[in-house]
Each structure stands twice: as C-alpha cells, then as structure tokens.
Amino acid sequence: MSNHKIVVIGAGLCGSLLAIRLKQRGFDVELFEKRPDMRKAKISAGRSINLALSNRGLKALKMIGLEEKARKITIPMRGRMLHDREGELFFSPYSGREGDYINSISRGQLNSLLYDEAEKLGININFNMGCVDSDPDSGWLTFEDENGKMTKIVAEAVFGADGAGSAIRKAAMERSNLIRFNFSQDFLTHGYKELSIPPGPNQSFRIEKNALHIWPRKTFMMIGLPNPDATFTMTLFLPFEGKDGFDAIRSDEDVFNYFKKWFPDAIPHMPNLIEEYHDNPTSSLGTIRCFPWQTGKRTLLIGDAAHAIVPFYGQGMNCAFEDVVVLDKIMDQTGSDWERTFSQFQRVRKPDADAIADLAIDNFLEMRDRVADPVFMQKRKLEMELEKNFPEYYSKYSMVTFLDEMRYSEALKKGRKQDEFLLELCRREPDIQKLNFSELLNELGRL
Amino acid sequence: MSNHKIVVIGAGLCGSLLAIRLKQRGFDVELFEKRPDMRKAKISAGRSINLALSNRGLKALKMIGLEEKARKITIPMRGRMLHDREGELFFSPYSGREGDYINSISRGQLNSLLYDEAEKLGININFNMGCVDSDPDSGWLTFEDENGKMTKIVAEAVFGADGAGSAIRKAAMERSNLIRFNFSQDFLTHGYKELSIPPGPNQSFRIEKNALHIWPRKTFMMIGLPNPDATFTMTLFLPFEGKDGFDAIRSDEDVFNYFKKWFPDAIPHMPNLIEEYHDNPTSSLGTIRCFPWQTGKRTLLIGDAAHAIVPFYGQGMNCAFEDVVVLDKIMDQTGSDWERTFSQFQRVRKPDADAIADLAIDNFLEMRDRVADPVFMQKRKLEMELEKNFPEYYSKYSMVTFLDEMRYSEALKKGRKQDEFLLELCRREPDIQKLNFSELLNELGRL
C-alpha cells in the first residue's frame, strides 16, 4: 500500500466531510468506519436522530459544495416555542434578523448525503472496519473487520474523527505519560431519553413545524425537533436520581402521571409514550476535553474525538464541521506538512473548543430554567428589537449560532458580558420601550 | 474459593497497610500485586526511592502498630536547607515547635516492613499477579501471572489500591457512561529526574543530614533527601521544553555547564552526575482525579488509584495512608456493609483528596520560587515565632503536615487565608519585632 495515503478514522459527519475536503485538495484519502453502511442498515432507535444545523455547519457544507443539497432536507426552526404547564404557548425568535434561523436535519440523511458525495469523488469508505491498534508516530494502523480479519496499513497522516468514544484517543491515553496527555470527562447528573410525536392526519405536523419546542421545568425539560416526515423527535432531559428523575419513573402509571403533571399538553400527541419510555435507552451526557490533539507525529484528533460537548447549544456537529474549515484554512499555508498543520490546528482551535463546551453547559441552564423567567423573556425581547434595528448587534445566541466569522471564544467573552449587562438593565427597567436604543448600543460597544 | 474474601489489588504502601488493617479487623484478606516481591528483586533505579513520612502517615502506622518500627528506619528532616547560586545556605525550619519534623524514609524499606507484618498476620500476598479483568458489581476478578496463567476469583469486596496507573480504575473507565465516571488527568509542563549524592568518607553525610535540601531557581529546582546509608536522593525538577529544560540538556558538556551555572555547590558532591543524568529516566508529573471511587457494588478505589497528586507537599503516601484511617473510622459504624462503607468513604474523603491535590501544586510554586523571596522568608520567620509562642497557632504547612486531626480541605481553606494575610503584613511591616503577637493572633483567629 502506498505510503502517501491520508486515512480518516470514523465516517461520521465530521470524518466524512473532512475526507471529502482532503480529496478535493488532491490528497489520496481513505475512510474507515467501524459500523456498517447506514444507507443499508437501520439506525438504532432512540439515539439523537436529528440535529440543529446552523451557520458554522452550513459554511463547512458550502466549502465542499453541498450546502444547497443539505438545505433541501432541513426544516427551518425560527425560534423556541415554549410550552408551560397549562399548555400555554410562547414563541421566542432566535434572532431579530429575518434570515437567521437554525435547521432541523436528520443525522442519517445528512451522513448519507456525505457518503454519496465521498464515493462520487472516488473515496473508498471501508465499513465494518474498527481501528484496534495505532501508532500515532509512524502512522501504522490495524483494523479488524466483522469476521475478525485483521488488516494493517501505514498512512502519511491519520485523522482520528471517530467521535466521543474515539479509539485513536484511547490509544493516546495508553501513552499518557509519554505525551503528557491531559484529559477529562465530566458527566452531567442529568441524562436523556428520546421519545416521539407521530404525524397528524394527512401527514400534518401536530405542533408548530418551524420551531424548536421546549417544555422548560426549571430543574429539567423536554424538547422537540421537527422531522421532514412530520414527526417530532422529543428528548426528555431529567436528573438520573431524585424525586423528578428517571429512577423515580418506572411503571406505566409513573410515566403517565409524570407527563400528566409536567407535560399535559404533550400527552395527546404522544400515543406511543409509555412504550417508547420503556423501550428507549436512558443515556448520559458528558463533556470530553483533551490536549494535545496531535497525539503523535502523524496523528490528529478532530471533532468529537478531540472535544465532545453536551447538546444544549446545538453546536456539536457545527463545531466539528467548523474544525474542518479551520484546518482547511491552515492548510492553505502548510500544505502537506502535517506536523505543522497539526500543531497549528490544535493551538488555534483549542480555545474555541473549550469555549463552546462551556457555552453548551450554560445553555442547559438557560433552556430548562431561565427561558421562562420574566426578566429573561424581557431581555430576549429587547435583543430582538436591537437585532431588528441595528445590523451590528448580535445577542450571545446569535454570535454563536449565526455569526460564523466570530470565534466561539470571542462569542463566549462578549456574549457573557453583554448578557450580564442586559439582564441587569431589564431587572432595573421592565419597560423596554422606555430605553434609548442608540445610547444602549453605545454602552454595549464599550463593554 | 470462599465468597467472603476481601481482596486488595496492589501491594504498594497503601494496599499493604489497608490489608493489614482489614485483617486486624477480622476479615479474610488476600493481597494481589502485579510486580515481583521487592524484598527479593532489585528496585528500578531513578524512581522515587525515598519519601517524606509525616504525622498523617505516622498515625496510620500507629493504628496498625508499626509506628515505632517505621521510625527506626527514618531520618528526621527539621526544615528546608536552601542553597543559593553562590552556595550560601539558609535553613528554614518546618515548624516553630520542637517535636514537629518530617521523616525521610525509603519506599522499599517501608513496603518491606509492611509485607513482613502482613505475612506475620497470615495474609497471603500473591506476587506477579496482575489484575486483567474485573467486574466491579459482582466482585469477579481475573489475574494473569508471569507465565500467562489466568486465575479467576470472586470477592465479597474489592479494594483497588493499585496506584496511579490503576487497572481497577481503567476498568471503571470502560463503563464510564454507565456509572458516569468523572475523570481527569493533568500533567505539569515540568518533569523530574533522580540523581544522587554518594556517602562521604567513613559513611558520612556530605551535606546536612537532618534537612530537606532545596536549590530553588524560580522556574525550576533541585531537591535532596537523606537516606540511612548516608546517600542523598536528588531530584531535578525542570520544564521538559525551553531554554532551561530537559530537552536543552543533552551532551555531557550541557549537563556539566547546566550544573555549573545553576547548582555549582552540588557538583563536588555528585561524582556520578553525568552518568546518572543520561541513564536515569525523565518522568512526568501529573494529578489524577476521579469520581465515583465506588466503581461498582463491591469495588472501591483508594489511595493513588483514586487520587494521584504531584509530590511537592510530600503528602502522596501520607494521604493514601490517611485514606485507610478514614475508612477504618467509618467501618466502626458500618462494619461489613460494604456498599454503605464505600459510599460514605467517597462522600467524606473526596473533598480532602481534592484539597491536597491543589495544595501539592501550590507547593511546587512555593518551593521552586517563593522560598527564596525576602518577604516569604520574613513571613516564615514570623510563623516560627508564632508557633514557638502560641501552641494554638499552625502555619498552612504545619496544618497539612503536622496537625493530623485537621482535614486537608480545612487546612487548605484556613491556610490560604492565613498566608494571604501574613504575606500582606510582611510586605507592609518588614520588621517582625515591631508586631504585637497577641493582637496578631486575635486577627488571625477572626479570619
């Protein structure tokens, strides 16, 4: 086998997009994926089947020429639809700007789109090939197929894009002392379970189609995202333990009573609730950080393998896609000098990966608790007004989600300051009509 | 095999002491150790061969009746002997109290003492038996001996006392999502290398025997601890990279020039310097934290396996020994109810393990940099005076090292506040004779 091959481990969203980009740059790329081809196999139930695609992700798709194709399989979500315990609805737009919205997309459909494109470009995707051994310095890799057959290859450069449970990262853990591999994994005390709302009569959407639905209940919540087949993927985020936690909801009656108490307006739309609650797994949520991402001379961790985050900002995929955009820009300078590429990439990108990890945890608190708070709602209204009237104004949410030219680390810094200032302002002055917007904008500029 | 056996994995210092204590409490204990019997094999060169035993560790040894025997193989170190670049010496006592000192002890000798005691009590120590598989809920364990022979046993309770590289902790990592296993490893950018000073004429000590020697050089340092055979174990703590780092010191000439520049007074005492510098490994230093320590119904991590720290407070062994004292006290209430014992132990002990990890990193900065600072030296003098005159006064160092009834977490909180206050005072008033000690003590009490 040629010594000039670039190998991408993991043909998930990030790995597939990365392989396509490297191929477009003229490299001889090969993809390895431990799972079977999802275009032929069924995706397992109850496992994050849809995602929110926003500007950073779209920019990456545009880079490889797939933005338009991807947009065709999305459903725009223009804001949060809040459901209170009485079933009252309140819609809170994501932005005051017309064109700013996020997009619900099926993980399976998007990944299949990337597979088709990769194969069209002549990239070989080796399915059912799990990486069982790797030498990050020499580029030697060993794969095991579904029949236990081993294959050894050597690569000029190896990208570990194999997700939160990365085998390439685990290999780095084995040589921790040698490379001084800093690593942390932190779990939330909350877990999640996926449920669903089926289509209504004539394939209609049973609840508002163009929104991300939230049932915020202070210490826990349920959310719902629309799918093109008129279903909604519902995700319940509860503590594992305690009074209102998964552990306390066991029998059919428990489930029904819990929903009746906390999410009564959802019950009529969820005919399979009891069955799904029992059948679907309860999964944990965690943040993974590590460094270096360059685990050897020839190996780089990228995407979730380098930085797995909790899902509450809808930025996991967007961040992983942006990794490839950042890498691509560096390669404009470094070309095929992989050691330089890898070391520059990790230096430039690490602060942003750390920032979005923190932001994602912040947003959990915001979604389950603060969204329903009157002062917070007032602040959101004020921000909508500012965004409508001043093109230069971006809320923290908008910086992270829509302003793809701003780094996450900058969005975190500016956004937090701005939030603090505006929340304090709304606490003091509940009537936003009384505010002088131009003065306010000046003050925000000074922050 | 009986179902009522207690198994301790790892016959290092903590595991051996724990096994002895459990046996003394009447349990059927067995010890498993992956290495050979160190009483018969040679300990590998250049690997932390001596340690500082202080009050918390002595308390644990007293609990099992070995304090006196251990004291016989120690060398008291009454303070820090600072060496400046001109070879000038400055002695800084550890405490103003006569009886407060720390003790240099050989890891091998202490461990052998524990082995002898364990065997005297009838504990079977299975050497060359590495744990290769474990089920933390059922207590099933698989060991592999030096010939590759596998042995399976089941234990009523399993203690993972197998150190910083714990196999029992790695098994917990494999089920991270299930038990939501929080974990972090953080390496310092500094590493260490062990060197030595041989005995002088007639087995004399070439430098002061009853001190811990420090060559503080701001961003790096060397330390020296006395051994009963009149040698000193020297440890060089340098950055891995950069101008004054290990990477820059490669040739014989580099080593000699480096020592001539930074540690000239040590050169005449280190005839094997060049050889040892090349032969001994450069090792990394890191902090490991994790939680839960109870990794299953029947399994608990303890000692370094649960919380590995950097060596700068001389508390690694003392902390691990104190773990056993804390566990023993809990067992007064919980007896052989292991689930209760384990869950109480981790709840009570975790904040103290976190505190000593933080304190150990603090002390690195103090030893390599601040010890030679005039304000810091003045503050230490003031603290000596306070400790001499007021039995109720303890410096942060004394709280951690000598006041074994105070929890690490409390020592951290109180000690940091006290340090801040006294340093500020010494900055304002360089002449400590002008201070009113009783008033000062009142102020410190109010903190």
Side-chain angles (χ1 to χ4, degrees), chain A residues 176-340:
Chain A
S176 286
N177 291 306
L178 189 67
I179 62 168
R180 305 194 296 284
F181 190 63
N182 291 337
F183 172 84
S184 72
Q185 58 185 33
D186 290 287
F187 287 89
L188 295 186
T189 52
H190 283 63
Y192 74 94
K193 188 187 281 287
E194 290 197 348
L195 306 167
S196 75
I197 289 183
N202 305 316
Q203 287 299 106
S204 64
F205 286 83
R206 283 168 169 269
I207 53 177
E208 168 59 39
K209 176 186 177 186
N210 293 114
L212 189 152
H213 295 262
I214 313 182
W215 287 255
R217 296 297 178 263
K218 292 217 180 271
T219 57
F220 57 92
M221 68 173 174
M222 180 164 70
I223 68 168
L225 273 77
N227 298 311
D229 62 359
T231 62
F232 285 83
T233 305
M234 313 293 283
T235 312
L236 194 56
F237 294 97
L238 305 186
F240 281 100
E241 288 154 20
K243 189 168 66 73
D244 294 316
F246 283 115
D247 281 4
I249 311 165
R250 293 174 175 273
S251 68
D252 292 4
E253 218 188 327
D254 291 344
V255 178
F256 183 77
N257 287 338
Y258 194 85
F259 270 73
K260 203 173 158 198
K261 181 173 176 189
W262 293 110
F263 315 116
D265 69 328
I267 295 183
H269 302 308
M270 301 177 77
N272 308 316
L273 169 62
I274 307 282
E275 200 186 336
E276 287 177 342
Y277 185 92
H278 293 307
D279 289 354
N280 291 350
T282 308
S283 306
S284 57
L285 296 159
T287 303
I288 290 175
R289 299 176 204 253
C290 66
F291 204 82
W293 293 345
Q294 181 180 14
T295 63
K297 282 189 177 62
R298 296 190 175 196
T299 304
L300 180 76
L301 298 171
I302 193 166
D304 280 9
H307 47 74
I309 64 179
V310 294
F312 304 106
Y313 230 113
Q315 287 293 315
M317 166 185 58
N318 290 290
C319 174
F321 277 6
E322 196 179 59
D323 276 5
V324 182
V325 175
V326 171
L327 183 84
D328 187 66
K329 209 171 164 188
I330 288 168
M331 288 177 70
D332 284 345
Q333 310 297 323
T334 56
S336 60
D337 182 344
W338 298 110
E339 278 200 68
R340 253 181 82 212

Side-chain angles (χ1 to χ4, degrees), chain A residues 170 173-174 176-190 240-241 284-285, chain B residues 170 173-174 176-190 240-241 284-285:
Chain A
K170 279 178 189 159
M173 285 289 279
E174 291 299 315
S176 286
N177 291 306
L178 189 67
I179 62 168
R180 305 194 296 284
F181 190 63
N182 291 337
F183 172 84
S184 72
Q185 58 185 33
D186 290 287
F187 287 89
L188 295 186
T189 52
H190 283 63
F240 281 100
E241 288 154 20
S284 57
L285 296 159
Chain B
K170 279 177 188 160
M173 285 288 279
E174 290 299 314
S176 285
N177 290 305
L178 189 68
I179 62 169
R180 305 194 297 283
F181 191 62
N182 291 338
F183 172 83
S184 72
Q185 58 185 32
D186 290 286
F187 288 89
L188 295 186
T189 52
H190 283 62
F240 281 100
E241 289 154 22
S284 58
L285 296 158

Side-chain angles (χ1 to χ4, degrees), chain A residues 7-62:
Chain A
V7 167
V8 177
I9 314 281
L13 296 170
C14 177
S16 303
L17 186 128
L18 171 63
I20 290 169
R21 188 56 185 164
L22 290 169
K23 184 75 181 182
Q24 288 172 340
R25 289 188 85 99
F27 292 102
D28 182 13
V29 187
E30 193 147 354
L31 255 171
F32 287 85
E33 167 58 48
K34 73 172 176 195
R35 296 193 184 83
D37 187 344
M38 67 170 68
R39 291 167 301 184
K40 294 165 195 162
K42 250 195 100 169
I43 199 160
S44 57
R47 285 284 185 181
S48 68
I49 58 174
N50 57 16
L51 301 157
L53 175 63
S54 54
N55 292 30
R56 294 172 198 266
L58 285 164
K59 188 178 179 178
L61 287 166
K62 188 175 181 178

